[in-house]
């Protein structure tokens, strides 16, 4: 099933004003793709899922399923919620056939396929048991069978593993991935866990504050984060403030480094370096000297903090250097990711007046209206003339 969002937006009316939960979401999901939507709590992930499921209607833009706008909850989508939501008074059989009953599809053929699913997910001996007689992992599998029993074309999963402990979560991650590969339907998987998103998906959609920050393959998102938010949210990152000082040369931590990204000279930039990309060598042998201020064993590697002047650099290495040791740091050009600095901005809805001023926030302000059309100019009467010569009355 193909899903397409075109500038989809969602604004909720809350008692203390409007909440813009989703802005300008544009992306497509191909048939059979495993897409994860990842971002911190409150960034709009569930809202996005609710729009695709047809539970909510976009307040702007469009959501299309197989080319048709979604107007009501679609029978083609199966939703797997965060908690398993099994009914404790119904048997496992009663729970897994619930979707079929509601849809009046409880036919012998369908019941046979539910038997098959129970067998496949090692629950056939539990059909007559009650949910509270099952372990957490079994309950989750039961919830999955209930959803799959209705033969959806797309499975929408809203943090289905969030309530499980770490070991069980890892097992279920593998299980879900295998199921998706076996049945080949589209999975849209919401999670706040970046590791889960990277390890399970074909495509990752990173969200923050109601906006999509980046869409790409897990490897692209990890290696080429588009901005400092993505770099920080997906994996650990050192983020330094830097300035471009020349052709592929950037100054940060008081030192000029070669890099591979080209930005205009004197531009202020964010410099992102992954902890595993910082190499430690003996004092005086690297690009910049520092002192180890802390070291923690993390299972496979040591996570150390190096102080270079007043700046902290987080480093991961399998060889420990003890607190207080003087050392030197090497960062290779390929591992220095330069990003345009993001500025906070106030957003207003406003309008342009006949006098080519702009009104917003209760005031009227001078502005440069030629910014509306690249290459445009104002004529003597104040009309905007576009690059192509079209005359526009604002
Ligand atoms: P996430 O799933 O990423 O945690 P949500 O989509 O649930 O985020 O919420 C996004 C924003 O929209 C939050 O600020 C949340 O408080 C708000 N929100 C969600 N649902 C409603 C609603 N029904 N009414 C008002 N605000 C809502």
């Amino acid at each position: 099933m193909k899903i397409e969002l075109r500038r989809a937006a969602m604004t909720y009316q809350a008692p203390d004003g409007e909440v813009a939960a989703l802005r300008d979401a544009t992306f497509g999901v191909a048939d059979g793709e495993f897409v994860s939507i990842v971002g911190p709590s409150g960034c709009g992930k569930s809202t996005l899922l609710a729009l695709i499921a047809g539970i909510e209607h976009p307040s702007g833009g469009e959501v299309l399923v197989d080319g048709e706008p979604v107007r009501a909850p679609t029978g083609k989508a199966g939703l797997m919620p965060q908690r398993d939501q099994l009914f404790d008074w119904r048997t496992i059989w009663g729970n897994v056939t619930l979707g079929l009953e509601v849809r009046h599809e409880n036919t012998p053929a369908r019941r046979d396929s539910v038997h098959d699913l129970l067998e496949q997910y090692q629950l056939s001996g539990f059909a007559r048991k009650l949910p509270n007689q099952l372990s957490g992992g079994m309950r989750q599998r039961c919830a999955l069978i209930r959803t799959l029993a209705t033969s959806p074309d797309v499975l929408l999963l809203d943090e289905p593993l969030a309530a499980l402990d770490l070991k069980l979560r890892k097992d279920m991650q593998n299980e879900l991935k295998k199921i998706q590969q076996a049945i080949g339907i589209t999975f849209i998987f919401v999670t706040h866990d970046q590791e889960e998103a990277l390890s399970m998906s074909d495509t990752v959609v990173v969200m923050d504050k109601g906006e999509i920050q980046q869409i790409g393959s897990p490897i692209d998102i990890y290696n080429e984060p588009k901005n400092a938010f993505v770099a920080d949210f997906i994996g650990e990152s050192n983020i330094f403030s830097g300035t471009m000082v020349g052709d592929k040369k950037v100054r940060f931590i008081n030192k000029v480094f070669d890099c591979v990204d080209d930005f205009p000279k004197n531009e202020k930039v964010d410099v992102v370096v992954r902890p595993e990309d910082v190499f430690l060598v003996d004092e005086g042998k690297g690009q910049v000297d520092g002192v180890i201020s802390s070291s923690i064993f993390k299972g496979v590697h040591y996570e150390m903090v190096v102080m270079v002047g007043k700046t902290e650099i987080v480093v991961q290495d399998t060889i420990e250097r003890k607190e207080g040791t003087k050392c030197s740091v090497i960062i290779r050009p390929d591992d220095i990711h330069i990003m345009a600095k993001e500025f906070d901005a106030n957003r207003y809805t406003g309008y342009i007046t006949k006098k080519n001023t702009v009104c917003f926030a209760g005031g009227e302000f001078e502005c440069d209206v030629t910014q509306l059309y690249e290459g445009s100019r104002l004529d003597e009467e104040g009309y905007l003339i576009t690059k192509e010569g079209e005359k526009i009355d604002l």
Side-chain angles (χ1 to χ4, degrees):
M1 192 163 114
K2 248 175 70 186
I3 294 159
E4 207 184 334
L5 280 87
R6 292 188 191 151
R7 309 202 66 175
M10 185 69 199
T11 304
Y12 292 108
Q13 304 298 331
D16 48 353
E18 291 186 338
V19 181
L22 190 71
R23 277 189 293 266
D24 218 2
T26 299
F27 69 99
V29 181
D31 198 18
E33 200 175 350
F34 194 129
V35 176
S36 286
I37 299 167
V38 65
S41 180
C43 71
K45 303 182 293 296
S46 304
T47 300
L48 194 60
L49 216 56
L51 292 182
I52 295 171
I55 299 166
E56 298 281 2
H57 301 280
S59 45
E62 277 186 309
V63 180
L64 307 170
V65 167
D66 286 336
E68 294 290 318
V70 180
R71 298 220 163 76
T74 157
K76 295 174 180 174
L79 184 66
M80 189 162 161
Q82 195 172 104
R83 304 255 159 208
D84 55 45
Q85 292 181 359
L86 298 180
F87 292 110
D88 285 336
W89 60 92
R90 290 181 77 119
T91 61
I92 296 308
W93 179 262
N95 268 288
V96 292
T97 53
L98 191 66
L100 298 180
E101 276 177 33
V102 172
R103 290 160 189 242
H104 307 291
E105 290 175 5
N106 201 352
T107 59
R110 288 286 197 165
R111 282 198 293 276
D112 280 350
S113 63
V114 175
H115 274 297
D116 290 346
L117 284 168
L118 284 170
E119 188 131 334
Q120 198 180 339
Y121 299 118
Q122 298 103 44
L123 283 173
S124 48
F126 295 85
R128 287 160 198 269
K129 298 254 193 272
L130 290 170
N132 60 17
Q133 296 173 283
L134 266 55
S135 70
M138 286 166 146
R139 290 181 65 118
Q140 209 66 16
R141 293 210 296 274
C142 184
L144 182 66
I145 294 170
R146 180 182 53 193
T147 314
L148 293 177
T150 58
S151 301
D153 291 334
V154 58
L155 198 57
L156 308 175
L157 303 109
D158 194 357
E159 304 228 20
L161 312 182
L164 304 180
D165 65 43
L166 185 67
K167 167 82 176 67
L168 205 52
R169 204 159 76 221
K170 296 271 172 219
D171 291 348
M172 280 303 285
Q173 284 174 8
N174 288 333
E175 191 122 354
L176 279 175
K177 185 75 204 156
K178 274 196 233 151
I179 293 167
Q180 196 259 345
Q181 281 161 351
I183 58 180
I185 64 171
T186 311
F187 271 42
I188 301 185
F189 185 90
V190 161
T191 177
H192 63 271
D193 180 341
Q194 43 95 11
E195 208 183 305
E196 195 162 270
L198 292 184
S199 64
M200 295 177 75
S201 344
D202 303 316
T203 303
V204 179
V205 178
V206 186
M207 293 187 61
D208 184 38
K209 300 196 189 98
E211 283 181 16
I212 294 175
Q213 303 295 316
Q214 189 169 358
I215 302 176
S217 70
I219 291 177
D220 279 353
I221 298 261
Y222 189 85
N223 287 341
E224 297 297 332
K226 226 162 109 183
N227 57 35
F229 172 81
V230 177
D232 202 30
F233 191 75
I234 302 290
E236 257 188 276
S237 282
N238 291 292
I239 302 176
F240 308 104
S241 278
T243 308
M244 297 307 289
V245 291
D247 196 16
K248 297 185 184 168
K249 286 195 188 301
V250 58
R251 184 181 186 86
F252 63 100
I253 52 173
N254 264 330
K255 176 95 194 163
V256 175
F257 289 81
D258 286 325
C259 60
V260 291
D261 298 314
D262 222 354
F263 275 78
K265 195 170 166 185
N266 295 328
E267 181 136 335
K268 302 273 180 228
V269 290
D270 282 324
V271 180
V272 174
V273 182
R274 299 279 187 200
E276 66 269 28
D277 294 335
V278 183
F279 295 96
L280 293 184
V281 291
D282 292 343
E283 192 186 5
K285 302 243 169 91
Q287 290 156 299
V288 56
D289 288 346
V291 182
I292 306 280
S293 69
S294 75
S295 169
I296 301 166
F297 184 54
K298 289 271 188 164
V300 177
H301 57 257
Y302 291 89
E303 190 165 285
M304 292 166 277
V305 176
V306 181
M307 293 303 296
V308 173
K310 287 188 176 157
T311 310
E312 288 184 351
I313 308 178
V314 180
V315 184
Q316 289 170 356
D317 201 333
T318 48
I319 300 162
E320 186 186 20
R321 283 174 195 254
K322 295 247 185 270
E323 196 181 320
T325 313
K326 289 186 177 166
C327 60
S328 196
V329 162
I330 295 179
I331 308 171
R332 294 184 309 210
D334 274 4
D335 296 328
I336 296 175
H337 306 285
I338 310 281
M339 286 157 206
K341 248 196 188 314
E342 295 203 346
F343 296 97
D344 277 340
N346 293 307
R347 285 166 189 255
Y348 297 98
T349 304
Y351 61 90
I352 306 273
T353 69
K354 285 265 180 225
K355 295 177 276 170
N356 288 342
T357 57
V358 60
C359 286
F360 64 91
E364 185 177 343
F365 304 88
E366 297 288 332
C367 66
D368 172 17
V369 290
T370 61
Q371 286 179 40
L372 289 169
Y373 293 86
E374 203 186 322
S376 64
R377 62 180 174 82
L378 284 170
D379 72 3
E380 314 75 55
E381 296 166 85
Y383 287 105
L384 195 66
I385 311 294
T386 66
K387 198 162 53 178
E388 291 76 28
E390 193 188 348
K391 185 173 176 175
I392 294 176
D393 182 2
L394 292 172

